[in-house]
Amino acid sequence: MKFTKMHGLGNDFIFVDYFKTEIPDLDFSGLAIDLCDRNFGIGADGLVLVLASNAADARMRIFNPDGSEPEMCGNAIRCFAKYLYDRGLVLDNPLTVETLRGVLTLEMQVEGGLVESVKVDMGEPILKPEHIPTTGTGDMVLNYPLIVDGKEFFVTAVSMGNPHCITFVENASAVNLKEIGPKVETHDFFPRNTNVEFVQVVDRGHVMMRVWERGAGPTLACGTGACATAVACVLNDKTNRKVKVTVPGGDLFIEWGEDNHVHMTGPATEVFTGEITLF
Ligand code: ZDP
């Protein structure tokens, strides 16, 4: 199996291309578990399939390292656009991508014929508690006291197609992610589990964020997480609608427009191509 290794701010993915070929009858969930393993496989935060689409220029499927299939992925979709455009598979700019969250539009910044960064219209945030989903009621889960290990965490829940649980902290780097992350990820309040973001506000235009990802654990960056964080910051009156989100892997630029759409801008990088023999 030929593959291409790519990343968005260190959030890394294995790309497998079926854009012009038949999709083999493979257990991609099981394959993701094997290939994403950093010791026994290639190592990555996810497996991404490049597919043809009847509804858009192309279709993206992604599998987490635990084999689960999330609805959307911000860092991978920027890499997805670069993969298609740099190879001349799609020449439109902007281009459209079909995901489980719907069809999204991506605008590429090209230098020397290659994509350097991508601005993605990530769509509207989903705030209705039962649509995130959570077991909460009312209009939204805002500064809600979630009990974890007997301790109260005030959380805001936002979906960008995939669920996110955001909590504000004094010092993001002091959070014991491995301790608290999985407990919030699998909390009963989140029937389909959740990604977990710890956010430290620097000023009204800048925050620091660390993430424990659903089905992946700690990662260096999360695009949907950065978008959900920006929305939570505005809802809690912490920042303006335009905010730089600094994650361990670098900076993402997020704007929650007056049209209620969230726009994410960030880099996409190709690292190497290779081939792996499947047993
Ligand atoms: O929702 C989930 O299960 C996430 N782990 C999906 C991956 C999200 C990603 N990190 C992103 O950038 O949005 C790839």
Side-chain angles (χ1 to χ4, degrees):
M1 169 188 266
K2 286 191 179 349
F3 67 88
T4 301
K5 190 75 185 317
M6 306 189 78
H7 75 83
L9 297 176
N11 192 200
D12 57 347
F13 308 98
I14 299 159
F15 273 65
V16 178
D17 185 348
Y18 300 116
F19 190 63
K20 290 191 173 162
T21 56
E22 277 299 300
I23 308 167
D25 178 19
L26 286 174
D27 164 19
F28 290 111
S29 172
L31 201 57
I33 295 170
D34 295 344
L35 296 183
C36 291
D37 187 297
R38 293 196 184 276
N39 303 100
F40 298 98
I42 299 167
D45 293 325
L47 170 66
V48 175
L49 307 184
V50 182
L51 307 169
S53 167
N54 301 324
D57 292 312
R59 177 177 166 223
M60 177 180 85
R61 288 184 72 184
I62 174 164
F63 295 85
N64 283 321
D66 73 346
S68 60
E69 181 173 2
E71 306 81 353
M72 215 339 245
C73 172
N75 288 318
I77 205 168
R78 297 197 316 276
C79 296
F80 191 88
K82 178 175 175 64
Y83 183 92
L84 292 167
Y85 190 89
D86 287 7
R87 283 164 178 72
L89 295 173
V90 172
L91 299 174
D92 304 341
N93 189 8
L95 61 78
T96 57
V97 178
E98 179 188 354
T99 69
L100 286 176
R101 194 241 140 105
V103 173
L104 301 179
T105 302
L106 295 84
E107 211 178 301
M108 295 163 285
Q109 191 231 321
V110 179
E111 275 160 39
L114 299 177
V115 172
E116 287 297 316
S117 78
V118 184
K119 180 175 183 180
V120 187
D121 179 346
M122 298 284 279
E124 301 184 65
I126 298 161
L127 301 176
K128 202 92 182 90
E130 60 270 25
H131 295 156
I132 291 174
T134 75
T135 57
T137 55
D139 290 340
M140 62 176 83
V141 178
L142 183 62
N143 207 26
Y144 173 84
L146 190 74
I147 308 300
V148 183
D149 264 1
K151 267 179 55 192
E152 217 171 33
F153 284 82
F154 289 92
V155 304
T156 298
V158 175
S159 168
M160 292 307 298
N162 55 350
H164 295 271
C165 175
I166 298 99
T167 190
F168 294 96
V169 295
E170 286 306 309
N171 178 355
S173 53
V175 174
N176 183 342
L177 218 44
K178 283 198 169 56
E179 164 70 24
I180 189 67
K183 291 179 178 152
V184 179
E185 175 193 1
T186 59
H187 196 285
D188 296 347
F189 189 70
F190 297 98
R192 288 220 304 267
N193 293 351
T194 186
N195 298 285
V196 189
E197 286 84 11
F198 297 90
V199 179
Q200 174 186 341
V201 177
V202 178
D203 58 41
R204 293 200 62 87
H206 184 203
V207 299
M208 316 277 281
M209 185 265 273
R210 289 179 65 216
V211 59
W212 174 275
E213 279 200 39
R214 176 182 67 167
T219 62
L220 296 181
C222 183
T224 49
C227 294
T229 292
V231 170
C233 285
V234 174
L235 293 174
N236 287 279
D237 193 22
K238 302 277 188 186
T239 70
N240 309 327
R241 298 179 78 92
K242 207 172 176 170
V243 60
K244 178 170 80 172
V245 179
T246 298
V247 289
D251 296 328
L252 285 168
F253 298 87
I254 312 295
E255 182 165 3
W256 187 13
E258 298 305 335
D259 62 356
N260 198 33
H261 282 237
V262 180
H263 291 92
M264 169 192 65
T265 304
T269 307
E270 180 167 331
V271 188
F272 65 88
T273 60
E275 187 153 8
I276 186 164
T277 312
L278 299 180
F279 295 97

